[in-house]
């Protein structure tokens, strides 16, 4: 039976994964994603899920085993964070280049050094060029729902790219919120069985992980780029169908505009910070200040056309970057600025919340005051 | 534009994820061009022990129906392992001239 439960974000993710029935779970624990493998191993131990849990020796092995599982043609899952994701780096483009529709949960956490276990987006932002779809979540319900949507998007024959479902470490993973847990039958109806065209089979031998000569490598990468563009349409489609089946949606699945009518200034955020921004703009709107919010859910593919439409009446857009591309500001700001090149809106970047620094209401008000005075963005400490 | 057309003609059909669906495609990849040193078997000295054939990492040495061991230069990269393992020094090498 569908029921509402007050549970941690990580437990919600684990339950969503269980409902998607992955066959192989290569897992390596790392704070703050550890609760996900913990819960999943409980499910495996209790026989609630028919999956093989592999206790690997590192994240490099976890992602390699995930690759292996997908080569045999079964749905799989892993979760990681921070240094764990960085250790996976080598294999990430191999999974996407092999067009394996894997799903991985990333509990966003700062990269060392100095060592920090707290939240920012430096881990996943550093991997945004590896051919993985990257979807961020504002709430635990959204994380639960995005896991289910992620398998549908990834496994679409038009896409066949892996998805990284990102949720802020601690702010979401360790926070207890009510989550609507959906029925197995409903999830089964929404997410059909995974039936790949190519997989390892001794009676029909195929080669995976072959090398490509200079005369074809670029074409394979171009195919990935086309699939990523196709993913824009597919994410919108899956988001609509999810809404029809479960009655919940997050913008168009890629990006959501809030209070943008009549607004001349807006803040763009990714992940849990959007909840705080919503509160601030509600207060400011009551005071008669028209401020909007753009909640960016999909970092890759970047919904350029949607961003242009959402920003068409804006004067200035302030971007909150929870990652710094040291030497050239915030990577997200740079992406948004180039997406909006030629539009009349001016983009100001604010690097904030690094290593778990709180982005509270006062800081967001400070950001809004800065853009309303037409001043440049800075490190919002 | 002409270059692009030429490159396209050489292309093999792309499979999703670069999967090779037919086994044995490595044979199409002739690695003999890489060779700097060319090994030569002196058939008079050869005792037909087959050590070169067993140790060739590229499978470039083959056995003829008469029991002779020969090198397929289309694939031999010139690593000279065969020369090293030959117990009667029947294999020598020269610098490849192209």
């Amino acid at each position: 039976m569908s029921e509402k439960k007050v549970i941690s974000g990580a437990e919600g993710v684990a339950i969503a994964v269980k409902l998607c029935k992955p066959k192989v779970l290569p897992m390596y624990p790392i704070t703050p994603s550890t609760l996900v493998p913990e819960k999943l191993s409980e499910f495996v131990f209790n026989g609630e899920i028919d999956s093989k849990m592999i206790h690997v020796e590192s994240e490099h092995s976890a992602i390699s085993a995930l690759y292996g599982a997908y080569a045999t043609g079964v749905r799989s899952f892993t979760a990681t964070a921070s240094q764990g994701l960085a250790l996976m780096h080598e294999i990430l483009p191999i999974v996407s280049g092999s067009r394996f529709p894997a799903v991985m949960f990333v509990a966003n956490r700062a990269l060392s050094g100095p060592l920090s276990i707290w939240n920012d987006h430096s881990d996943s932002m550093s991997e945004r060029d590896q051919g993985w779809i990257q979807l961020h979540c504002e709430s635990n319900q959204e994380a639960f729902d995005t896991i289910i949507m992620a398998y549908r998007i990834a496994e679409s024959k038009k896409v066949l790219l892996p998805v990284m479902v990102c949720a802020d470490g601690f702010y979401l993973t360790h926070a207890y919120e009510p989550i609507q847990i959906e029925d197995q039958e409903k999830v089964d109806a929404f997410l059909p069985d995974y039936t790949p065209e190519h997989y390892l089979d001794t009676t029909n031998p195929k080669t995976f992980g072959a090398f490509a000569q200079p005369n074809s490598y670029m074409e394979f990468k171009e195919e990935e780029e086309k699939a990523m563009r196709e993913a824009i349409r597919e994410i919108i489609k899956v988001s609509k169908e999810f809404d029809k089946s479960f009655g919940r949606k997050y913008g168009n699945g890629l990006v959501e505009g809030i209070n943008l009518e009549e607004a001349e200034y807006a803040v763009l955020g990714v992940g849990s910070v959007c909840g705080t921004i919503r509160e601030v703009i509600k207060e400011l709107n009551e005071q008669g200040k028209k401020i909007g919010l753009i909640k960016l859910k999909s970092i890759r593919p970047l919904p350029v056309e949607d961003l242009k439409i959402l920003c068409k009446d804006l004067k200035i857009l302030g971007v909150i970057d929870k990652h710094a591309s040291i030497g050239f500001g915030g990577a997200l700001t740079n992406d948004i600025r180039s997406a909006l090149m030629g539009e009349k809106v001016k983009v100001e970047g604010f690097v904030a919340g690094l290593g778990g620094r709180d982005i509270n209401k006062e800081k967001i008000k400070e950001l809004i005051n800065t853009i309303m005075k037409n001043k440049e963005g800075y490190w919002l400490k | 534009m002409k270059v692009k057309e030429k490159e396209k003609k050489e292309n093999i059909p792309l499979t999703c994820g670069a999967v090779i669906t037919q086994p044995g495609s490595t044979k199409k990849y002739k690695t003999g061009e890489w060779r700097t040193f060319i090994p030569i078997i002196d058939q008079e000295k050869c005792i037909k022990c087959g050590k070169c054939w067993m140790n060739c990492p590229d499978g470039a040495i083959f056995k003829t129906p008469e029991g002779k061991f020969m090198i397929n230069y289309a694939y031999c990269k010139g690593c000279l392992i065969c020369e090293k393992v030959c117990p009667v020094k029947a294999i020598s090498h020269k610098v490849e001239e192209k």
Side-chain angles (χ1 to χ4, degrees):
Chain A
M1 271 296 285
S2 171
E3 57 173 338
K4 207 163 221 175
K5 267 185 170 176
V6 178
I7 49 175
S8 71
E11 186 174 351
V13 166
I15 295 171
V17 170
K18 183 180 87 173
L19 290 166
C20 296
K21 300 178 178 169
K23 291 284 173 213
V24 184
L25 300 167
M27 305 291 249
Y28 193 83
I30 180 168
T31 301
S33 70
T34 306
L35 283 167
V36 178
E38 249 177 48
K39 275 286 151 197
L40 282 168
S41 47
E42 241 177 77
F43 297 149
V44 173
F45 182 77
N46 295 339
E48 292 174 54
I49 176 174
D50 180 24
S51 311
K52 168 78 186 162
M53 166 84 63
I54 310 176
H55 298 275
V56 288
E57 67 275 60
S58 74
E59 289 87 353
H60 190 278
S61 305
I63 190 80
S64 300
L66 189 79
Y67 174 94
Y70 270 95
T72 68
V74 294
R75 189 179 285 160
S76 305
F77 175 83
T78 192
T80 193
S82 182
Q83 304 305 119
L85 185 61
L87 190 55
M88 287 181 176
H89 172 78
E90 190 197 1
I91 312 299
L92 294 180
I94 304 180
V95 175
S96 56
S98 302
R99 308 292 298 278
F100 289 150
V103 172
M104 167 157 67
F105 175 68
V106 174
N108 283 113
R109 161 183 156 184
L111 287 173
S112 298
L115 173 64
S116 167
I117 62 160
W118 305 105
N119 164 254
D120 71 27
H121 292 162
S122 51
D123 50 0
S124 60
M125 277 307 277
S126 301
E127 303 301 343
R128 95 204 125 121
D129 301 335
Q130 303 315 324
W132 285 60
I133 292 169
Q134 222 177 81
L135 304 175
H136 283 256
C137 308
E138 181 186 346
S139 67
N140 288 345
Q141 182 71 59
E142 186 173 348
F144 177 94
D145 295 346
T146 306
I147 291 281
I148 299 167
M149 281 191 270
Y151 279 107
R152 259 293 289 275
I153 296 160
E155 291 169 11
S156 158
K157 298 275 184 252
K158 289 180 188 161
V159 179
L160 290 174
L161 285 172
V163 181
M164 220 178 263
V165 178
C166 304
D168 290 324
F170 298 108
Y171 292 132
L172 293 180
T173 55
H174 289 57
Y176 281 70
E177 284 181 350
I179 298 181
Q180 183 73 38
I181 310 289
E182 297 299 344
D183 286 345
Q184 185 66 64
E185 298 76 53
K186 263 172 97 179
V187 175
D188 287 347
F190 178 78
L191 182 69
D193 285 344
Y194 171 51
T195 50
E197 190 188 343
H198 302 296
Y199 54 90
L200 289 173
D201 175 7
T202 48
T203 59
N204 182 17
K206 288 175 184 176
T207 301
F208 287 78
F211 94 126
Q213 293 278 32
N215 70 352
S216 62
Y217 181 90
M218 262 187 97
E219 276 71 15
F220 284 115
K221 286 289 150 192
E222 196 181 22
E223 288 297 308
E224 259 183 74
E225 173 68 27
K226 282 185 204 158
M228 195 54 104
R229 283 168 194 273
E230 198 60 53
I232 291 184
R233 279 185 282 277
E234 200 61 23
I235 292 169
I236 295 172
K237 199 181 124 200
V238 170
S239 172
K240 270 185 195 155
E241 284 180 31
F242 188 89
D243 185 22
K244 221 186 275 170
S245 304
F246 302 100
R248 286 184 299 277
K249 66 177 163 108
Y250 306 94
N252 66 353
L254 298 154
V255 61
E256 185 179 0
I258 298 115
N259 264 350
L260 287 171
E261 311 79 27
E262 298 174 53
E264 290 186 320
Y265 301 92
V267 184
L268 184 143
V270 171
S272 63
V273 74
C274 292
T276 319
I277 307 171
R278 275 177 207 270
E279 285 298 311
V280 173
I281 61 170
K282 211 196 279 170
E283 278 178 32
L284 294 175
N285 285 343
E286 280 163 14
Q287 293 167 20
K289 289 182 190 161
K290 302 272 183 231
I291 312 288
L293 160 65
I294 294 175
K295 173 189 156 183
L296 185 63
K297 182 167 174 64
S298 176
I299 301 272
R300 285 293 181 274
L302 192 68
V304 177
E305 294 309 314
D306 291 312
L307 285 168
K308 280 183 185 168
I309 293 165
L310 291 172
C311 294
K312 70 179 189 332
D313 297 324
L314 292 177
K315 261 191 194 161
I316 302 179
L317 176 68
V319 177
I320 297 183
D321 232 302
K322 291 173 83 170
H323 161 67
S325 173
I326 306 290
F328 193 45
L332 179 65
T333 304
N334 296 335
D335 273 5
I336 301 294
R337 200 173 269 147
S338 71
L340 297 172
M341 182 80 187
E343 302 294 302
K344 76 170 196 338
V345 61
K346 204 172 133 209
V347 180
E348 287 299 340
F350 295 82
V351 172
L354 298 189
R357 183 71 59 92
D358 198 14
I359 307 176
N360 53 24
K361 289 208 260 181
E362 280 62 44
K363 278 186 197 148
I364 290 162
K365 283 177 192 161
E366 186 186 323
L367 182 156
I368 292 167
N369 282 334
T370 308
I371 58 170
M372 286 180 80
K373 284 180 194 150
N374 201 2
K375 284 187 181 160
E376 271 184 35
Y378 53 91
W379 279 47
L380 191 64
K381 300 193 289 277
Chain B
M1 202 60 201
K2 268 183 187 166
V3 177
K4 209 175 174 188
E5 274 167 27
K6 198 188 155 205
E7 276 181 6
K8 266 198 176 148
K9 270 182 198 163
E10 290 170 5
N11 281 349
I12 45 156
L14 303 182
T15 52
C16 190
V19 172
I20 299 173
T21 53
Q22 294 294 320
S25 63
T26 305
K27 275 192 173 175
K28 291 183 200 157
Y29 187 43
K30 306 241 158 70
T31 47
E33 286 176 14
W34 301 13
R35 200 167 49 235
T36 306
F37 299 109
I38 178 162
I40 298 147
I41 303 177
D42 182 343
Q43 297 294 346
E44 306 228 318
K45 281 191 196 165
C46 175
I47 56 166
K48 299 175 178 56
C49 66
K51 275 197 172 172
C52 56
W53 172 68
M54 279 189 279
N55 284 282
C56 176
D58 249 306
I61 296 177
F62 62 98
K63 201 176 174 180
T64 64
E66 302 85 56
K68 271 195 200 172
F69 290 95
M70 312 267 282
I71 298 168
N72 185 343
Y73 291 108
Y75 301 106
C76 168
K77 291 173 184 160
C79 72
L80 306 183
I81 285 173
C82 53
E83 184 183 349
K84 193 106 183 162
V85 298
C86 179
V88 293
K89 295 192 173 6
I91 304 176
S92 58
H93 72 268
K94 296 196 296 196
V95 173
E96 174 85 39
E97 282 169 25
K98 281 178 184 138

